């Protein structure tokens, strides 16, 4: 009888652990989904900002071009 009780307790413990693991997995899936949505929004925002940049805004500047006219 003691062996059966121990087996039942171990089975119950495993079921509890499986339940907690399933809950954790659901939470992680939701977190990943929310992060992917945020990444998608940020990618769209970066694209919009790049479109708003003036032409040549990303080009390297020459410091000689910025000297005042009296030099």
């Amino acid at each position: 009888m003691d062996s059966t009780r121990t087996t039942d307790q171990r089975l119950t413990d495993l079921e509890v652990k499986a339940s907690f693991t399933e809950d954790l997995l659901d939470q992680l899936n939701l977190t990943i989904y929310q992060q992917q949505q945020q990444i998608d929004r940020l990618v769209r925002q970066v694209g919009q900002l790049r479109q708003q940049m003036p032409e040549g805004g990303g080009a390297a500047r020459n410091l000689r071009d910025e000297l005042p006219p009296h030099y």
Side-chain angles (χ1 to χ4, degrees), residues 2-42:
D2 191 37
S3 170
T4 304
R5 188 177 313 156
T6 304
T7 303
D8 287 344
Q9 182 61 40
R10 290 177 65 193
L11 183 60
T12 302
D13 291 345
L14 287 173
E15 288 173 343
V16 169
K17 285 182 181 181
S19 177
F20 280 119
T21 302
E22 188 176 337
D23 185 50
L24 178 62
L25 183 61
D26 288 342
Q27 290 175 11
L28 289 173
N29 282 335
L30 178 61
T31 300
I32 290 170
Y33 173 76
Q34 291 170 341
Q35 287 177 343
Q36 187 59 52
Q37 285 183 321
Q38 184 178 20
I39 289 169
D40 292 342
R41 281 193 307 272
L42 291 172

Side-chain angles (χ1 to χ4, degrees), residues 48-66:
Q48 291 171 351
L49 290 173
R50 284 186 176 162
Q51 289 177 353
Q52 293 174 5
M53 279 181 48
E55 286 296 320
R61 298 182 301 170
N62 187 351
L63 294 178
R64 293 239 175 230
D65 294 340
E66 296 183 12

